[in-house]
Amino acid sequence: MKRICLLLPNGFEAVEASVFTDVFGWNKEEGDGATELITVGTRPQLTCTWNFTVLPEKTLDEVTVDEFDALALPGGFEQAGFYEDAYRPDVLAFIREFDRQNKVIASICVGALPIGKSGVLQGRQATTYNLSNRNRQNQLAEMGANVLGDEPIVVDRNVITSFNPSTAFDVAFTLLEMLTSTENCNVVKRQMGFIG
């Protein structure tokens, strides 16, 4: 059984988190069933970017990296307080430990920024939100990443990054494929209507 930690900082974007819960939920029912996703919040009650409340299954202080095989990280909005939580020292240490153990880290949009802030992307290829004059991509470059600005999804060894919310399902499927197999991923895609 492969266990995925869906890390939810306050102010996360709900749609970017939900693709992971959906794809891995579908895998449990229609795919090989060999994955389990656990929602882990930076606090016991979280407010999403667009103002609804989420109660994660666990909080960050209740888990260790050793319990998981992969980390999934959605983006969020500065105005919703995303970076206040996403840049916390305990969050950055958690990300670093996943990388140290060579476990897969998958992020969507600005979910790449805390990975960059942790130092994990130093000298590695990555991307993040590509619109608004590429401000977020410039920030990621300042953190030491080699930003591939026009690539929708960038995979560098164990880290998956992407350039905006439109890539969300593709990131979740990439993670599923890395944790299971291409064949299994295609079964889930077919069941969800992504391929014929």
Side-chain angles (χ1 to χ4, degrees):
M1 181 70 73
K2 297 286 176 72
R3 301 182 88 225
I4 302 95
C5 171
L6 178 56
L7 182 59
L8 303 174
N10 205 46
F12 72 90
E13 193 157 0
V15 70
E16 295 178 13
S18 69
V19 294
F20 291 113
T21 59
D22 240 50
V23 165
F24 286 94
W26 275 81
N27 186 59
K28 206 163 187 167
E29 294 299 319
E30 303 291 340
D32 67 6
T35 55
E36 180 183 15
L37 183 138
I38 293 94
T39 54
V40 177
T42 50
R43 43 184 92 186
Q45 182 172 302
L46 303 154
T47 303
C48 298
T49 292
W50 309 121
N51 290 326
F52 65 85
T53 301
V54 170
L55 303 176
E57 294 162 273
K58 292 181 178 280
T59 53
L60 188 55
D61 59 354
E62 296 175 323
V63 298
T64 67
V65 174
D66 295 338
E67 298 171 47
F68 301 103
D69 299 283
L71 175 66
L73 190 57
F77 271 61
E78 189 161 10
Q79 300 90 316
F82 177 75
Y83 298 104
E84 290 169 34
D85 272 19
Y87 287 175
R88 279 181 6 193
D90 58 341
V91 171
L92 301 181
F94 195 64
I95 293 168
R96 277 192 295 271
E97 184 59 19
F98 268 91
D99 186 60
R100 193 189 70 75
Q101 294 189 26
N102 202 34
K103 294 179 176 182
V104 182
I105 301 170
S107 68
I108 298 169
C109 196
V110 296
L113 289 170
I115 302 172
K117 184 89 167 167
S118 77
V120 162
L121 296 177
Q122 192 77 35
R124 294 170 73 174
Q125 295 184 335
T127 192
T128 191
Y129 188 57
N130 62 321
L131 304 173
S132 300
N133 298 316
R134 299 190 186 267
N135 291 337
R136 297 300 184 193
Q137 290 190 339
N138 293 334
Q139 287 178 340
L140 192 62
E142 288 165 12
M143 294 171 184
N146 176 16
V147 176
L148 304 184
D150 297 320
E151 290 292 320
I153 294 179
V154 177
V155 181
D156 189 319
R157 300 198 308 265
N158 61 316
V159 180
I160 306 164
T161 53
S162 78
F163 75 3
N164 60 48
S166 72
T167 63
F169 267 109
D170 289 331
V171 170
F173 285 130
T174 301
L175 179 58
L176 177 63
E177 186 172 352
M178 288 173 81
L179 293 177
T180 62
S181 67
T182 302
E183 182 184 32
N184 178 67
C185 186
N186 285 337
V187 167
V188 175
K189 281 183 175 178
R190 197 167 292 113
Q191 291 297 319
M192 293 182 77
F194 282 90
I195 57 177

